[in-house]
Amino acid sequence: MFESLSERLGGVFERLTKQGALTEDDVATALREVRVALLEADVSLPVARDFVKKVQEKATGQGVTKSVTPGQQVVKIVHDELVSVLRGEGEADALKIDNPPATILMVGLQGSGKTTTTAKLAKRLAERQGKRVLMASLDTNRPAAMEQLQILGAQIGVDTLPIVKGESAVQIAKRAKTQGAMGGYDVIMLDTAGRLHIDEVLMDEVQAVRDLAQPRETLLVVDGLTGQDAVNVAAEFDGKVGISGVVLTRMDGDGRGGAALSMRAVTGKPIRFVGLGEKMDALETFEPERIAGRILG
Ligand code: GDP
């Protein structure tokens, strides 16, 4: 998922570590190249700029050029800074599913992978945490989307709320809550409708559902391949409905990965999971250490 960035940074650091002794200028040159590599990976400009500035300050502060292995030290500082930018301020809370039934609201644009991710997450909660999950599709405009969730539910052995024609999204959410409480479910997952673009109608509907459902978590699903757009979509959804975290999908693709690096710094919201394929098991928790390790190869 970070192949080209990883390759670019690998090249910069190989030169740096091979060189032995380093001057302040050598470090500055390498860091300029790091900045370009980040920008080419579609990391937002302020994030890339801030990143390099912090690395530069630490390198100077730690007297890297006077050390025996200056190149390696720079790599270590970059690694730590990557972890820090991915993690943001403080550790992201684990997905908390206590006091059942807890509602998880899934929001996002159409085609982002929302329905697939809803099912992947339901499967994970059922299998790994033994939770009883009820999924409901609120996509009243697209009967096919409702059926898709039912099909996925049957496939993974997770219950879905029966489809009743003619209900509004809020009515479905209400029925899901009642059914969730009566049926002894631990988690109710509401797969809200997506639109191709953010619009007032979409936001109004999500807000109405949110107010009724009082979700424990509101997870935004965004397509990781869309780079900075993914970050903009997240900022906008957060402003309008308030999100608790992000799921970046299609991170198995050849995207440049910038969204992963900018998300926390720009929106302040943690990436909770990454989607790594179409299969129901292709969902990983987002771990900054592991991602940083992947980027630095
Ligand atoms: P929705 O409109 O947001 O509900 O999107 P869907 O869940 O229907 O997903 C749209 C397409 O993206 C489907 O073909 C999914 O299989 C695919 N998809 C979803 N997540 C991922 C992912 O992480 N990686 C890949 N490669 N495909 C994905």
Side-chain angles (χ1 to χ4, degrees):
M1 71 178 104
F2 296 104
E3 287 81 3
S4 53
L5 175 61
S6 183
E7 213 169 282
R8 286 288 303 267
L9 292 181
V12 177
F13 294 142
E14 197 184 312
R15 262 171 279 142
L16 208 58
T17 38
K18 263 195 190 147
Q19 223 170 312
L22 293 179
T23 65
E24 298 276 345
D25 272 355
D26 294 330
V27 176
T29 305
L31 292 183
R32 266 197 298 277
E33 291 175 49
V34 168
R35 190 171 80 140
V36 173
L38 290 173
L39 292 176
E40 281 181 1
D42 211 14
V43 174
S44 85
L45 180 60
V47 175
R49 214 185 256 154
D50 191 49
F51 183 93
V52 166
K53 187 166 155 254
K54 283 189 181 144
V55 172
Q56 178 84 61
E57 280 166 9
K58 280 191 192 160
T60 309
Q62 293 175 17
V64 158
T65 49
K66 295 186 196 75
S67 88
V68 192
T69 53
Q72 265 119 315
Q73 286 228 29
V74 175
V75 178
K76 166 85 171 59
I77 295 170
V78 168
H79 172 273
D80 293 349
E81 206 46 50
L82 275 176
V83 174
S84 154
V85 76
L86 290 165
R87 177 168 290 146
E89 312 238 320
E91 203 77 34
D93 302 332
L95 213 53
K96 277 205 204 85
I97 309 296
D98 41 13
N99 300 334
T103 301
I104 302 180
L105 193 61
M106 304 294 289
V107 301
L109 297 179
Q110 189 176 316
S112 59
K114 189 160 38 60
T115 300
T116 311
T117 304
T118 302
K120 284 178 179 177
L121 201 52
K123 182 170 193 279
R124 196 182 173 95
L125 288 167
E127 279 179 3
R128 302 203 186 182
Q129 297 184 33
K131 301 292 183 196
R132 284 198 66 212
V133 185
L134 176 68
M135 304 189 292
S137 169
L138 310 189
D139 202 341
T140 52
N141 295 316
R142 292 193 308 151
M146 294 188 143
E147 280 157 28
Q148 187 197 348
L149 190 69
Q150 273 199 327
I151 293 166
L152 292 175
Q155 196 183 314
I156 59 176
V158 167
D159 292 345
T160 44
L161 189 74
I163 298 172
V164 175
K165 289 210 176 86
E167 280 184 334
S168 69
V170 169
Q171 284 170 329
I172 302 172
K174 211 179 272 176
R175 192 157 54 86
K177 282 226 111 167
T178 311
Q179 179 66 31
M182 286 190 340
Y185 288 94
D186 301 306
V187 186
I188 301 159
M189 301 195 65
L190 300 178
D191 181 15
T192 61
R195 299 276 196 287
L196 291 176
H197 303 284
I198 292 175
D199 60 35
E200 288 299 318
V201 182
L202 168 66
M203 288 303 181
D204 287 350
E205 184 178 290
V206 176
Q207 280 168 3
V209 170
R210 175 203 62 195
D211 293 345
L212 176 111
Q214 300 287 317
R216 188 76 45 87
E217 298 276 347
T218 301
L219 296 182
L220 172 77
V221 180
V222 274
D223 182 346
L225 291 181
T226 60
Q228 289 197 54
D229 268 352
V231 180
N232 296 337
V233 166
E236 213 161 327
F237 265 90
D238 191 36
K240 294 267 167 59
V241 297
I243 58 174
S244 58
V246 176
V247 182
L248 274 187
T249 60
R250 301 210 177 82
M251 294 302 279
D252 50 311
D254 55 5
R256 294 171 289 170
L261 284 154
S262 302
M263 188 62 76
R264 188 77 199 242
V266 175
T267 67
K269 300 296 168 179
I271 299 172
R272 288 282 171 69
F273 298 96
V274 287
L276 292 168
E278 304 204 4
K279 297 225 171 73
M280 286 293 108
D281 285 322
L283 186 76
E284 263 184 21
T285 52
F286 185 81
E287 285 161 29
E289 286 281 352
R290 190 169 60 198
I291 304 280
R294 254 184 220 169
I295 293 173
L296 293 180

